[in-house]
Amino acid sequence: MSIKGQVQGVQQMIEDEKYCVDILIQLSAARAALGKVSAIILKRHVESCVVGAIESGSEEEMTEKIEELVQVFSRYN
Amino acid sequence: MSIKGQVQGVQQMIEDEKYCVDILIQLSAARAALGKVSAIILKRHVESCVVGAIESGSEEEMTEKIEELVQVFSRYN
Amino acid sequence: MSIKGQVQGVQQMIEDEKYCVDILIQLSAARAALGKVSAIILKRHVESCVVGAIESGSEEEMTEKIEELVQVFSRYN
Amino acid sequence: MSIKGQVQGVQQMIEDEKYCVDILIQLSAARAALGKVSAIILKRHVESCVVGAIESGSEEEMTEKIEELVQVFSRYN
């Protein structure tokens, strides 16, 4: 995950008092990068936990996982 | 869905040349309302289609639904 | 502003029980459209009110407008 | 800027294979933190560069700065 590097880069730009618009563009790039990692983690989550809950046949577990998934989605939209 | 009403309200504000900041606040409220509807539709989607695909036992169908779900998530984050 | 039409279209899709993923894609398109209108209104706001406040020479008015602009930005990011 | 720490924390959580939903919540928190930094930088930008351009009396410089500001806003909304 190179996002740490991106965030470090932004921090350096702020310290060096680089042009604000350039900093803002880098900040939005770091945000987009976090969004991409989120999509990967979400995929992993659905493939393992959500599928597992549905396959378990437990109505309760399934409902809980779906509820959780919608909560996560709501944080991002 | 009262979002249509919200959008109509914003349109009226623009025509009436209301204060821009007030229009922008209403626009962000309409966006948030769309986000809430999206969460409801997503929930319905997971509960029916995604669960259905997983329960079908078809690896292919399941993979397709998960892929689609991640695509949708990516549009929003 | 055809966003009203877009929102109406989404509403129809929901009533017609169209495929949820298609509805979600239309919802994200409507959101993006609201974002574009917001950018236009923001531009108009800066060109008139913010420039006006800065040109007025009133420190207080200028500070107020900048504060307001940052508040608006924060609602969107 | 503690965002670097937050990103590092998320990276650790991924390596430790923590629960995906907890990772997703931390990722959205890091995104929100980047949004807050962006608002601070935007404020600094308007207070210095945009105000400077408007006060310069150069129509061209002012137009350029406003255009740039709207571009930045569009990246975030």
Side-chain angles (χ1 to χ4, degrees):
Chain A
M1 191 166 66
S2 68
I3 299 172
K4 202 181 108 191
Q6 266 182 292
V7 171
Q8 243 165 342
V10 171
Q11 193 168 6
Q12 196 58 52
M13 287 175 86
I14 293 171
E15 278 165 21
D16 297 349
E17 303 199 11
K18 295 286 184 202
Y19 184 48
C20 290
V21 169
D22 293 335
I23 298 174
L24 287 165
I25 289 170
Q26 287 311 309
L27 279 165
S28 77
R31 264 169 61 103
L34 284 176
K36 273 182 197 146
V37 173
S38 301
I40 293 166
I41 302 293
L42 183 93
K43 194 179 176 202
R44 189 198 282 186
H45 174 61
V46 176
E47 282 170 349
S48 56
C49 298
V50 179
V51 169
I54 293 165
E55 287 178 347
S56 77
S58 154
E59 189 75 30
E60 198 191 320
E61 219 181 300
M62 191 180 90
T63 305
E64 192 196 300
K65 285 301 165 205
I66 292 174
E67 205 59 66
E68 213 176 45
L69 191 68
V70 174
Q71 295 288 328
V72 164
F73 177 74
S74 295
R75 278 179 171 270
Y76 280 89
N77 83 41
Chain B
M1 191 165 67
S2 67
I3 299 171
K4 201 182 111 191
Q6 265 182 294
V7 171
Q8 242 163 343
V10 171
Q11 194 169 4
Q12 196 58 51
M13 287 175 86
I14 293 171
E15 278 165 21
D16 296 349
E17 302 200 14
K18 295 286 184 203
Y19 184 49
C20 290
V21 168
D22 293 335
I23 299 175
L24 287 164
I25 290 170
Q26 287 312 308
L27 278 165
S28 79
R31 264 169 62 101
L34 284 176
K36 271 181 199 146
V37 173
S38 301
I40 293 165
I41 303 292
L42 183 92
K43 195 179 175 201
R44 187 198 284 188
H45 174 61
V46 176
E47 283 170 350
S48 56
C49 298
V50 179
V51 169
I54 293 165
E55 286 178 348
S56 77
S58 153
E59 190 73 33
E60 199 191 320
E61 219 182 299
M62 190 179 90
T63 306
E64 193 196 300
K65 286 300 164 205
I66 293 175
E67 205 60 66
E68 213 177 44
L69 191 67
V70 175
Q71 294 288 329
V72 163
F73 176 75
S74 296
R75 277 179 172 269
Y76 280 89
N77 86 39
Chain C
M1 190 165 68
S2 67
I3 299 171
K4 201 182 107 190
Q6 266 182 293
V7 171
Q8 242 164 341
V10 171
Q11 195 169 3
Q12 196 58 51
M13 287 175 86
I14 293 171
E15 279 165 21
D16 297 349
E17 302 199 13
K18 295 285 185 201
Y19 184 48
C20 290
V21 169
D22 293 335
I23 299 175
L24 287 164
I25 290 170
Q26 287 312 307
L27 278 165
S28 79
R31 264 169 64 101
L34 284 177
K36 271 181 198 146
V37 173
S38 301
I40 293 165
I41 303 292
L42 183 92
K43 195 179 176 203
R44 188 199 282 187
H45 175 61
V46 176
E47 282 170 350
S48 56
C49 299
V50 179
V51 169
I54 293 165
E55 286 178 349
S56 78
S58 153
E59 190 74 33
E60 199 191 319
E61 218 182 299
M62 191 179 90
T63 306
E64 193 196 299
K65 286 299 164 206
I66 293 175
E67 206 59 66
E68 213 176 45
L69 191 68
V70 175
Q71 295 287 329
V72 163
F73 176 75
S74 296
R75 278 179 172 270
Y76 281 90
N77 86 36
Chain D
M1 191 166 66
S2 68
I3 299 171
K4 202 181 107 189
Q6 265 182 292
V7 171
Q8 243 164 341
V10 171
Q11 194 168 5
Q12 196 58 51
M13 286 175 86
I14 294 172
E15 278 165 21
D16 296 350
E17 304 198 10
K18 295 286 183 201
Y19 184 47
C20 290
V21 168
D22 293 335
I23 299 174
L24 287 165
I25 290 169
Q26 287 312 308
L27 279 166
S28 79
R31 263 169 63 102
L34 283 177
K36 272 183 197 145
V37 173
S38 301
I40 294 166
I41 303 293
L42 183 92
K43 194 179 176 203
R44 188 198 283 185
H45 174 61
V46 176
E47 282 170 348
S48 56
C49 298
V50 179
V51 169
I54 293 165
E55 286 178 348
S56 78
S58 154
E59 189 75 31
E60 198 190 320
E61 220 182 298
M62 191 180 89
T63 306
E64 193 196 300
K65 285 300 164 205
I66 292 174
E67 204 60 67
E68 214 176 45
L69 191 68
V70 175
Q71 295 288 328
V72 164
F73 176 74
S74 296
R75 278 179 172 271
Y76 281 89
N77 86 38

